[in-house]
Amino acid sequence: MSDAPVFDPIQLKSFLALAETRNFTRAAERLGVSQPTVSQHVRKLEHAAGRVLVTRDTRDVRLTDNGDAMAGFARAILAANDVATRYFSGAAMRGRLRFGTADDLAITGLPRILREFRQLYPQINLELTVSQSDQLHRRLKAGALDLVFVKWVSGAQEGEVVKQDTFAWVGLEQTVLEPGAPVPVIVYPAPSLSRKLALDALEDAGRTWRVTCTTKQISGVLAALRAGIGIAVMPTSLVPEDLKIITRRFDLPPVGDVDFTLIRNPLANIEVVDALTQAIMGRKLTPVGRR
């Protein structure tokens, strides 16, 4: 038989309540049990893990590094347990979810999140559309999509902001811009948020420019950048490791901030949309190839 530890969901629930309240009494009140019961559950979980998960003193409770790790595992284990329970009880979440994402957000960890979402909710029919943010927004308003993940004007107060970021000018390490020469820019077709903000910023700064590449996909933008055809505007957090932020090097004008935003169709299945929203909100969106 395997000696691998088995983590009791009841003990995990007590531990999570303690992790979130940092207080045994409040954790017990939240769960509707006694304080000694919570203490006993945490001790048994520590024994099963073979690690100290919390430190205690007369003032507060703190998670150790292993405790932080266990909190993450506990959430995942309890979520999977909940899904399995609903599935085998005939209450598994069902329905269709028409989800749209901006193409450059698809180079983040989003595909991994969607794969895990499908594993957790196999009876949800997930339909994916990848396009530009403005096109996705129009389709959402027309009722053709249930939820979209887009780059949106910072502070627009529409939808739920997953991440706030800043646009930056990006190019190769060896990029050279001749003084006084038009700035060679790589852009998406109009209308496009990054295109508009980039060209408006150059105009306002009195810099001349010329479009050297127009492409509908992030793969085209990256290919043109890597070929040295020009420079482009990208959210700072999405810049691949082989490209560089060159805003200050060439005194290029700031472009502005951007929000990665989830916007829902109010007529869509609330339960299904909430499930994917929570999956995305709770995860980091580090670009593929970066840590």
Side-chain angles (χ1 to χ4, degrees), residues 7-48:
F7 300 121
D8 186 326
I10 295 176
Q11 296 169 11
L12 291 173
K13 288 180 181 179
S14 290
F15 174 73
L16 269 185
L18 178 63
E20 292 168 0
T21 62
R22 303 301 173 96
N23 183 280
F24 279 93
T25 300
R26 289 198 294 271
E29 291 173 349
R30 173 183 292 190
L31 297 171
V33 299
S34 67
Q35 182 178 329
T37 298
V38 174
S39 298
Q40 183 184 52
H41 288 168
V42 172
R43 283 197 302 271
K44 288 183 176 180
L45 188 62
E46 288 181 319
H47 178 74

Side-chain angles (χ1 to χ4, degrees), residues 169-172 175 231 244-252:
W169 292 97
V170 178
L172 290 172
T175 296
I231 64 175
K244 304 297 179 184
I245 295 175
I246 59 172
T247 307
R248 293 184 179 178
R249 188 195 307 178
F250 298 107
D251 195 28
L252 292 163

Side-chain angles (χ1 to χ4, degrees), residues 86 91-94 124 264 268-276:
R86 292 200 305 269
M93 196 181 300
R94 294 175 171 83
I124 292 179
R264 63 177 64 201
N269 183 318
I270 295 176
E271 185 182 27
V272 172
V273 170
D274 280 348
L276 183 54

Side-chain angles (χ1 to χ4, degrees), residues 174-187:
Q174 57 268 37
T175 296
V176 175
L177 299 183
E178 299 296 336
V183 177
V185 292
I186 301 163
V187 293

